[in-house]
Amino acid sequence: VQLVESGGGLVQAGGSLRLSCTVSERFNVMGWYRQAPGKQRELVAINYGGGSTNYADSVKGRFTISRDDAKNTIYLQMNSLKPEDTAVYYCNARRLLVNLWGQGTQVTVSS
């Protein structure tokens, strides 16, 4: 099973980025996590399938997770980015007995 992320980069505060994550097989639960330097990895947004989602309080109203099941792909649209959103963002896909992580993509927000 392969998981490929894309879409990170450098953006000014207030800007937008969209991350993509494509998996070679279908997973019901897919999400995005992030890890800033010196901090633990934390949940950003998760999609349970069937329209059910959950977001970290810090990104509610600014980030949107969506999925295209035909492409086995999830997206994270990030708007109104803040310097504190700077981190490595990791895609996660899981189902019974399988828990996949992407290699991570750097998001840097300059002030």
Side-chain angles (χ1 to χ4, degrees), residues 15-56:
S16 299
L17 284 173
R18 189 176 82 154
L19 306 182
S20 300
C21 172
T22 299
V23 193
S24 56
E25 299 178 6
R26 175 172 170 78
F27 283 76
N28 285 338
V29 182
M30 296 184 69
W32 291 95
Y33 293 72
R34 67 187 180 188
Q35 187 166 17
K39 295 187 177 182
Q40 289 188 329
R41 191 173 296 188
E42 63 176 2
L43 172 69
V44 177
I46 191 165
N47 188 306
Y48 295 100
S52 178
T53 59
N54 195 27
Y55 294 89

Side-chain angles (χ1 to χ4, degrees), residues 12-102:
Q12 288 188 330
S16 299
L17 284 173
R18 189 176 82 154
L19 306 182
S20 300
C21 172
T22 299
V23 193
S24 56
E25 299 178 6
R26 175 172 170 78
F27 283 76
N28 285 338
V29 182
M30 296 184 69
W32 291 95
Y33 293 72
R34 67 187 180 188
Q35 187 166 17
K39 295 187 177 182
Q40 289 188 329
R41 191 173 296 188
E42 63 176 2
L43 172 69
V44 177
I46 191 165
N47 188 306
Y48 295 100
S52 178
T53 59
N54 195 27
Y55 294 89
D57 288 342
S58 59
V59 307
K60 283 180 180 177
R62 300 188 298 122
F63 291 11
T64 302
I65 189 170
S66 61
R67 65 193 295 159
D68 183 339
D69 287 334
K71 298 180 180 178
N72 291 336
T73 298
I74 62 166
Y75 305 95
L76 185 68
Q77 178 66 43
M78 304 184 292
N79 298 327
S80 302
L81 282 160
K82 304 176 181 180
E84 50 263 43
D85 294 317
T86 295
V88 178
Y89 283 69
Y90 296 91
C91 178
N92 174 258
R94 65 177 191 261
R95 63 182 183 217
L96 184 62
L97 302 180
V98 181
N99 189 23
L100 292 179
W101 290 95

